[in-house]
Amino acid sequence: MRNNAIAEMRKDHKIGHTILYFDEITSTNTHAKELARKGAAHGTVLLAKRQTAGRGRLGKQFYSPAGCGLYLSVIVRQSIAPEDLLAVTACTAAAVHDALRYFDITAQIKWVNDLFLNGRKICGILTEGGFVGEELDFLVIGIGMNIRHNPNVPEALRPILTDLESETGQCIPEDQLIHAILNALESHLDGLHERAFLPVYRAQSCTLGHRVWLSEESCEALAIDYTQDAGLIVRMDDGTEKIITTGQATVMD
């Protein structure tokens, strides 16, 4: 990763004009929230070679070894309501999809925050808000992507995870990949209120049309659509429809 090259690419952009680099950090999201509380500007990006305590959605650990992945967080300060948090996560997933398309890679999006290649996960997204009272002061968007094979990946994760290089045979320069992701994220965030991300999010879904196990409901249902706010619309076995905004929806078929 050529730090100077990324800085030069991003110097005139709203997102990535300031990039902070870390050889090792507990979690880019955790540190980004600390910086945001101290007034760090909109568009500040944190990049790490390794995370020792990377986190995913629902409190899951995000495995983040050195030399194998891309780990970044973005501080966002714009007019976003607390109820838009789910939409921001979906918006980011669409942005990562679009960035990969720049390199002729087509990923699928699993509700709400994961990207898959050939049925296995390559990327996860974690959006967290910083509040002053009930008002949303800032957002931190974390993106973790598996770039290359790690022979030391835990045994339990091997059937679940994959990486870009193994699946595509491409060795993508990381500075170009980061630039593409931040470009797409900047564009999609500009169109967030119009929900410009939804066509891509729907078209590339690997959730819709499948039966899913709903962790919060402890039952199966058919995933049929998304709401404007990226909630998952499911049809229960009794024919009723329900909107899911929390928990996990695991594809069953």
Side-chain angles (χ1 to χ4, degrees), residues 192-211:
L192 177 68
H193 294 304
E194 293 77 30
R195 300 302 194 248
F197 67 88
L198 273 173
V200 168
Y201 196 72
R202 282 194 176 103
Q204 299 305 321
S205 174
C206 59
T207 302
L208 297 183
H210 294 274
R211 289 186 65 79

Side-chain angles (χ1 to χ4, degrees), residues 85-97:
L85 281 169
L86 198 67
V88 170
T89 299
C91 170
T92 304
V96 174
H97 167 272

Side-chain angles (χ1 to χ4, degrees), residues 121-148:
K121 180 178 174 178
I122 60 159
C123 180
I125 295 159
L126 176 63
T127 303
E128 298 182 288
F131 291 82
V132 176
E134 295 184 359
E135 296 297 318
L136 189 61
D137 184 38
F138 64 83
L139 289 177
V140 168
I141 301 172
I143 300 171
M145 183 180 295
N146 303 324
I147 301 296
R148 57 190 63 87

Side-chain angles (χ1 to χ4, degrees), residues 204-226:
Q204 299 305 321
S205 174
C206 59
T207 302
L208 297 183
H210 294 274
R211 289 186 65 79
V212 294
W213 174 261
L214 305 173
S215 63
E216 296 283 294
E217 308 292 326
S218 296
C219 68
E220 289 187 30
L222 177 66
I224 59 174
D225 202 357
Y226 297 122

Side-chain angles (χ1 to χ4, degrees), residues 85-206:
L85 281 169
L86 198 67
V88 170
T89 299
C91 170
T92 304
V96 174
H97 167 272
D98 287 355
L100 291 174
R101 284 295 303 138
Y102 181 81
F103 303 99
D104 294 322
I105 299 169
T106 302
Q108 290 187 298
I109 302 171
K110 176 184 173 295
W111 186 86
V112 61
N113 64 319
D114 293 334
L115 284 96
F116 278 56
L117 278 178
N118 299 325
R120 292 196 290 171
K121 180 178 174 178
I122 60 159
C123 180
I125 295 159
L126 176 63
T127 303
E128 298 182 288
F131 291 82
V132 176
E134 295 184 359
E135 296 297 318
L136 189 61
D137 184 38
F138 64 83
L139 289 177
V140 168
I141 301 172
I143 300 171
M145 183 180 295
N146 303 324
I147 301 296
R148 57 190 63 87
H149 176 65
N150 173 28
N152 299 315
V153 67
E155 185 71 31
L157 297 179
R158 290 180 184 178
I160 302 169
L161 302 181
T162 190
D163 62 272
L164 279 180
E165 290 188 6
S166 296
E167 295 299 330
T168 68
Q170 293 191 53
C171 182
I172 301 171
E174 289 184 32
D175 52 359
Q176 293 182 23
L177 178 58
I178 292 165
H179 181 53
I181 290 172
L182 297 181
N183 261 354
L185 180 59
E186 187 172 304
S187 175
H188 275 291
L189 284 176
D190 283 345
L192 177 68
H193 294 304
E194 293 77 30
R195 300 302 194 248
F197 67 88
L198 273 173
V200 168
Y201 196 72
R202 282 194 176 103
Q204 299 305 321
S205 174
C206 59

Side-chain angles (χ1 to χ4, degrees), residues 18 42 55 68 108 116 137 155 164 181 235-236 252:
T18 300
H42 172 76
R55 295 178 292 108
C68 298
Q108 290 187 298
F116 278 56
D137 184 38
E155 185 71 31
L164 279 180
I181 290 172
R235 181 175 296 126
M236 312 301 284
M252 304 298 293

